[in-house]
Amino acid sequence: MNKNGIVSKKANKRDAGSFLLFVFLLPYVCASLWGHVGEEADRLRESEKEGEYLVEASVEWGVWELPLEEYLAYRLCLVMPNDYEKEAGKAQAVLLRTELAALYAEQGEKRAAVDGDGLAQFYKNAAGTEELLKKYRQAVKETAGEILTYEGEPIRASYFRVSNGSTRDAGEECPYLSAVSCEQDLEAPDYRSVVRVDRERYIEKLRGALEGDFEEKTLWEDGKFSFDGTGYMTRVSYVDTSGEEERIDGEAFRHLFGLSSASFALDTEGEQAVFRVTGVGHGFGMSQYTALCLARNGENYEEILDAFFFQTELANFE
């Protein structure tokens, strides 16, 4: 016991008083605190109730999570030139949303994991890109929730930069993707390109893509190239020293040699393979350049989509 028992008693009285005050105020503190937490919980539950679709984009520093419509504005900016016409941009926005609708259905939830290549620039320079994004946001907003469907399902929403003068027919797999004349594309600035590959490099690349043992002459002279009805290469085949045939798909072949499209004429000039290429991209679906021309001629985004995707319908994605 302390020398001064009274001090000790005063301390006890103070502690007791503080405890009683705490007990008295506790209900009010709890009501205030838990009321706020409750409001936040209600807000989160409401958000979940709305069922917002999210996109998880893999970028260099991790995963950037975005609402669907916000992601579409960034994505549209990446795939559509800045000088596009408004209605062409709206058509492209519908196709991008349709791609994601198919992905959500495939993954079975309201989160879609995508490759965020190119998106990091918007995150790092948010303030600087706001003005640039305005027109893209508007195109997304004016087509909010719209996707393109065939028999009630999201289509394969293909698009590319410039055709060789016609889009490609995808056959029975995608009956809505038929060949469409795109004469406007012949005037596109990047319609034609030429790629030259030295003989040694040409043969080296082919050997790397094939599994068998091939004579150099076979790879340089004896490839059998096949093209579809609109002039795009579909495959090339070579016969190895054992008599076995191997094939390379047209798109794989064009990427092997860095060609802008699989529509090309191949010649040999001395010790070089020379590709004379027409068009940019795979050729299926909507040609962005022709869509731009159609928009300039007064067609709206619905008419543009109708021109490239047969027997399809716009539907609401919810």
Side-chain angles (χ1 to χ4, degrees):
M1 185 182 229
N2 290 337
K3 276 184 178 187
N4 193 332
I6 297 175
V7 171
S8 204
K9 245 184 212 189
K10 281 183 181 178
N12 289 338
K13 285 181 179 178
R14 189 180 297 114
D15 291 343
S18 298
F19 177 74
L20 289 172
L21 181 61
F22 174 75
V23 171
F24 177 76
L25 293 176
L26 183 60
Y28 299 96
V29 173
C30 290
S32 175
L33 176 61
W34 292 110
H36 173 72
V37 173
E39 289 174 6
E40 182 65 12
D42 288 342
R43 187 189 68 76
L44 291 173
R45 278 194 294 271
E46 185 62 28
S47 177
E48 291 175 0
K49 185 178 178 181
E50 290 172 3
E52 183 177 42
Y53 283 88
L54 299 173
V55 175
E56 295 177 341
S58 297
V59 291
E60 57 193 34
W61 42 260
V63 176
W64 186 12
E65 185 178 279
L66 295 157
L68 165 60
E69 299 293 304
E70 180 72 3
Y71 167 78
L72 286 177
Y74 297 136
R75 180 70 180 147
L76 184 59
C77 185
L78 290 176
V79 305
M80 204 71 176
N82 190 41
D83 60 351
Y84 75 88
E85 294 291 323
K86 182 178 180 181
E87 294 302 312
K90 288 163 69 173
Q92 183 67 68
V94 170
L95 295 181
L96 294 177
R97 190 182 292 106
T98 303
E99 279 185 328
L100 280 171
L103 192 57
Y104 287 121
E106 179 186 325
Q107 297 183 1
E109 52 184 280
K110 293 186 174 181
R111 288 176 178 271
V114 301
D115 182 354
D117 186 34
L119 287 179
Q121 61 176 296
F122 298 112
Y123 186 87
K124 291 178 179 177
N125 306 305
T129 57
E130 197 57 35
E131 187 64 28
L132 172 66
L133 285 169
K134 275 186 178 179
K135 62 187 299 186
Y136 296 100
R137 291 189 195 282
Q138 192 63 27
V140 171
K141 182 179 179 181
E142 292 186 18
T143 61
E146 289 185 314
I147 64 172
L148 204 57
T149 64
Y150 177 77
E151 295 184 348
E153 298 295 328
I155 67 162
R156 173 181 154 191
S158 301
Y159 58 91
F160 60 99
R161 187 61 60 85
V162 181
S163 77
N164 69 349
S166 173
T167 67
R168 303 175 69 176
D169 191 326
E172 294 182 2
E173 182 183 351
C174 298
Y176 47 83
L177 289 179
S178 296
V180 176
S181 176
C182 298
E183 293 182 4
Q184 302 94 323
D185 285 350
L186 277 61
E187 304 301 321
D190 48 357
Y191 172 70
R192 295 185 185 278
S193 58
V194 177
V195 175
R196 296 176 179 273
V197 184
D198 290 339
R199 174 173 173 151
E200 183 178 347
R201 183 64 172 158
Y202 181 83
I203 292 170
E204 178 187 348
K205 280 187 167 290
L206 287 176
R207 288 196 193 281
L210 298 165
E211 295 181 358
D213 181 24
F214 293 88
E215 293 182 357
E216 186 173 305
K217 179 180 179 298
T218 298
L219 298 179
W220 183 244
E221 299 179 1
D222 298 334
K224 294 181 180 179
F225 290 83
S226 298
F227 293 81
D228 64 18
T230 51
Y232 288 86
M233 174 196 162
T234 55
R235 67 180 180 274
V236 58
S237 61
Y238 302 91
V239 178
D240 67 16
T241 54
S242 68
E244 293 293 320
E245 182 182 76
E246 279 193 57
R247 295 178 177 180
I248 302 176
D249 171 79
E251 284 299 294
F253 184 89
R254 72 118 165 167
H255 286 298
L256 188 65
F257 292 103
L259 310 181
S260 58
S261 94
S263 173
F264 60 83
L266 173 60
D267 297 308
T268 56
E269 295 181 1
E271 293 297 296
Q272 282 190 328
V274 182
F275 296 94
R276 291 179 172 82
V277 188
T278 52
V280 181
H282 50 63
F284 291 104
M286 185 182 79
S287 160
Q288 291 179 323
Y289 188 83
T290 290
L292 170 67
C293 294
L294 293 175
R296 285 176 177 167
N297 288 336
E299 298 197 30
N300 63 36
Y301 75 101
E302 294 183 24
E303 292 170 323
I304 292 170
L305 292 171
D306 281 343
F308 291 104
F309 303 95
F310 297 107
Q311 298 179 333
T312 57
E313 295 181 344
L314 284 170
N316 234 11
F317 179 56
E318 298 177 350

